[in-house]
Amino acid sequence: MGHGRTTVRTSAAGAVCAALLAGGVVGLAPAAQAAPSVRFVDITGDGGTVLKANVVTPEGADGTHAYPLIVLPTSWGLPQAEYLAQAQKLADSGYVVLTYNVRGFWQSGGEIEVAGPPDIADASKVIDWALDHTPSDPRHIGMAGVSYGAGISLLAAAHDKRIKAVAALSGWADLISSIYSGRTQHVQAGALLDGAGLVTGHESPELRQIFDNFYASNLSKEQEMIDWGRKRSVATYVDQLNRNGAAVMLANAWGDTIFPANQYADFYEKLTVPKRLEMRPGDHATAELTGLFGLPNDVWTDTGRWFDHYLKGVGNGIDREQPVQLKSRSTDGYEGYPDWKSVGATRRKIALAGSSTIHANVDSGADGGIVFLSSILDQVAQLPPMASIPLLPRRWAAVWQSERYGAPQRVRGTATLHTTLTPTKESGTLIAYLYDVGPLGFGKLVTNAPYTWYGRTPGEPFGVDLDLFSTAYDVPAGHRLALVVDTVDPLYIEHNPSGAQLTFSSPSDDPSYVSVPLREQ
């Protein structure tokens, strides 16, 4: 069912592993600066597993004064030196900071559990060790991390009441909706995680089987995979997290190809604790990257402010700011909102009129780009994936366009697609793309999302409702928005049988449309 995705998976994994290894080596650079105040230690985690860690304490700490504790689990595939630059800054401002290599990676023992119960138990063991061996204040404990470290921090806060504040940067709340949204495998994302795990760690047999079933589209194991992912998703434990009361800061990038922005936004709305949501341009962990080298970085600055207020009681005003802070992919500066639903305060529908039939199994030229590379280009040069909309072959792509807008359209939030689909086969995949189309017909990708179905009766229409990935993008005056739908994208595994055709229609009693969320003008 993967239709030749093996080559893509292998090459993506190789490239990403090389990048992660290079990043891990470079990430050691700040250690030279931080070395005088760093102590490298071994900590016994759950089941006796040895975790490699380092401790940074405030200058002059002599055991007569207790300091707030911040615990930083490492990112997927990166060594314990990852956070040393930020650990030094936090220690300089009065924190005991303990960073540790999560089980299964680098020199830590055990196998990769993907934030499973042993990882959650490890976090509590690390806190126990810090309280016994450092001048840490048990009443003021925080956790933070990037990517894997973010996910573990959130899960730990849901299970350990001692954690009073969390900063989860480029993490996940729902693992399944991140890499299996719309019942579609995000194959480049999976390959990145798998490749990095193979090179820098020791995958557990359970994880190896999950990856194998994921690539093979093994539907008999689908529910098993979903259950495995739910156990590792803090969204499953949101009630516990709310009861425990830890203040939660979430930060992510609009173009995150590992953990899309939607799942963080959905989770944010379910939190009843003190909370903050920050969204910026970029891809997975790229918004935090410069901070790992000790350079100025607004994500890490806000992380410090979050801990200063909720662990040290500093009146820095972060609790009085609008809790949702967004930066558009098109403009500088941040926009504040009282909640997520206020982000796209108004919606404009683009009618998807008429009937359009496309043939499956061929990439039309519309696609979501390449994991990491495309969103980084968008972040640094505002160059997202592009396509010539007039030249897209209508045999393989369905295209609808809005009128030309007389004023800028500030897209904010989650666009939704509603249409009626009639397939000629019982299973299949479609990918929906929203483009900003200029006067010459060149479209810049605004957002996209995949959708897969099984067990449908050929020739029988059914309704499709699909949330595209959340974003913030400004469409210039004089441009149009275009919705494009095709069936193949390198980011995803598609499930279209040979010879399949898809017909999109707009019945009079149930018209098709794409609903675009807009910031109030």
Side-chain angles (χ1 to χ4, degrees):
M1 299 171 78
H3 292 291
R5 291 293 192 270
T6 304
T7 301
V8 172
R9 181 169 70 245
T10 304
S11 60
V16 168
C17 289
L20 284 171
L21 286 175
V25 174
V26 174
L28 294 171
Q33 287 183 317
S37 58
V38 177
R39 180 160 57 106
F40 291 88
V41 299
D42 289 349
I43 297 176
T44 302
D46 184 56
T49 298
V50 175
L51 306 174
K52 297 294 183 178
N54 57 66
V55 181
V56 186
T57 53
E59 184 178 358
D62 56 7
T64 62
H65 176 74
Y67 299 88
L69 169 67
I70 296 178
V71 175
L72 302 169
T74 52
S75 301
W76 185 278
L78 292 185
Q80 68 194 76
E82 175 187 5
Y83 299 117
L84 281 178
Q86 285 302 320
Q88 181 68 59
K89 288 187 175 184
L90 289 166
D92 288 344
S93 61
Y95 295 93
V96 171
V97 186
L98 192 155
T99 81
Y100 71 98
N101 234 125
V102 292
R103 65 169 53 224
F105 284 105
W106 293 83
Q107 289 126 340
S108 284
E111 297 174 325
I112 301 171
E113 299 286 346
V114 195
D119 290 301
I120 299 170
D122 283 346
S124 293
K125 292 284 189 180
V126 167
I127 292 172
D128 292 342
W129 186 94
L131 295 177
D132 289 341
H133 296 87
T134 72
S136 299
D137 187 340
R139 300 167 301 170
H140 303 290
I141 298 172
M143 284 192 71
V146 176
S147 183
Y148 196 37
I152 290 175
S153 295
L154 286 169
L155 285 160
H159 289 82
D160 193 326
K161 295 180 180 180
R162 295 175 296 178
I163 300 168
K164 303 303 181 185
V166 173
L169 317 179
S170 290
W172 77 91
D174 188 327
L175 193 57
I176 294 301
S177 72
S178 294
I179 62 173
Y180 192 58
S181 69
R183 295 186 78 182
T184 310
Q185 297 95 326
H186 297 209
V187 67
Q188 288 189 15
L192 185 152
L193 298 172
D194 188 11
L198 288 169
V199 171
T200 64
H202 308 282
E203 293 183 349
S204 67
E206 180 185 35
L207 175 58
R208 183 68 262 150
Q209 190 61 57
I210 289 290
F211 273 126
D212 289 345
N213 292 336
F214 178 83
Y215 296 136
S217 306
N218 189 342
L219 285 180
S220 68
K221 298 292 185 179
E222 182 184 41
Q223 190 58 50
E224 181 180 313
M225 181 181 72
I226 291 172
D227 293 341
W228 175 88
R230 283 177 177 161
K231 186 185 297 185
R232 290 158 170 81
S233 299
V234 71
T236 304
Y237 312 102
V238 64
D239 291 340
Q240 288 179 217
L241 183 61
N242 286 330
R243 284 195 299 270
N244 288 351
V248 175
M249 172 180 154
L250 306 171
N252 206 351
W254 295 120
D256 195 319
T257 44
I258 309 298
F259 304 129
N262 294 46
Q263 47 93 34
Y264 250 16
D266 292 344
F267 176 68
Y268 174 83
E269 289 291 272
K270 298 173 184 176
L271 291 173
T272 59
V273 296
K275 59 184 180 179
R276 182 179 177 93
L277 175 66
E278 299 185 355
M279 295 288 191
R280 301 171 172 84
D283 205 312
H284 184 64
T286 62
E288 301 87 3
L289 184 61
T290 57
L292 295 179
F293 299 99
L295 300 173
N297 181 280
D298 53 356
V299 188
W300 285 103
T301 296
D302 285 348
T303 296
R305 294 174 63 223
W306 191 252
F307 285 136
D308 284 349
H309 181 74
Y310 287 102
L311 296 184
K312 295 166 69 175
V314 175
N316 54 21
I318 196 167
D319 58 318
R320 297 190 299 274
E321 296 172 359
Q322 295 276 40
V324 177
Q325 294 286 322
L326 311 182
K327 187 175 183 181
S328 170
R329 292 160 51 199
S330 310
T331 58
D332 291 328
Y334 287 87
E335 303 166 359
Y337 300 86
D339 48 40
W340 177 252
K341 66 177 179 290
S342 300
V343 171
T346 61
R347 302 190 77 90
R348 172 174 286 185
K349 288 184 177 180
I350 301 171
L352 310 180
S355 178
S356 181
T357 298
I358 62 174
H359 295 251
N361 306 114
V362 175
D363 192 337
S364 71
D367 63 56
I370 301 171
V371 66
F372 274 136
L373 178 60
S374 297
S375 292
I376 292 175
L377 284 174
D378 187 34
Q379 178 182 0
V380 301
Q382 294 185 7
L383 289 175
M386 298 180 66
S388 175
I389 303 305
L391 296 181
L392 290 175
R394 278 15 182 208
R395 179 179 176 85
W396 298 302
V399 180
W400 297 267
Q401 295 193 71
S402 72
E403 77 279 6
R404 201 179 301 275
Y405 297 116
Q409 304 295 297
R410 296 179 174 88
V411 180
R412 300 290 186 274
T414 308
T416 59
L417 167 66
H418 173 74
T419 190
T420 296
L421 171 63
T422 305
T424 60
K425 305 289 185 179
E426 66 174 14
S427 64
T429 297
L430 64 83
I431 304 94
Y433 310 88
L434 190 65
Y435 282 98
D436 160 25
V437 185
L440 298 179
F442 288 103
K444 292 183 176 181
L445 186 64
V446 177
T447 182
N448 77 100
Y451 179 89
T452 294
W453 65 93
Y454 298 99
R456 291 290 179 174
T457 302
E460 184 174 304
F462 63 93
V464 171
D465 290 285
L466 175 63
D467 287 346
L468 279 63
F469 299 137
S470 303
T471 194
Y473 183 97
D474 295 354
V475 180
H479 286 214
R480 306 173 187 267
L481 281 170
L483 182 80
V484 177
V485 180
D486 74 0
T487 62
V488 176
D489 190 301
L491 288 174
Y492 313 112
I493 291 180
E494 48 92 1
H495 303 271
N496 295 294
S498 179
Q501 298 179 35
L502 312 180
T503 297
F504 302 94
S505 58
S506 184
S508 58
D509 61 343
D510 186 21
S512 296
Y513 60 84
V514 58
S515 177
V516 181
L518 300 175
R519 179 187 176 190
E520 289 185 349
Q521 302 298 313

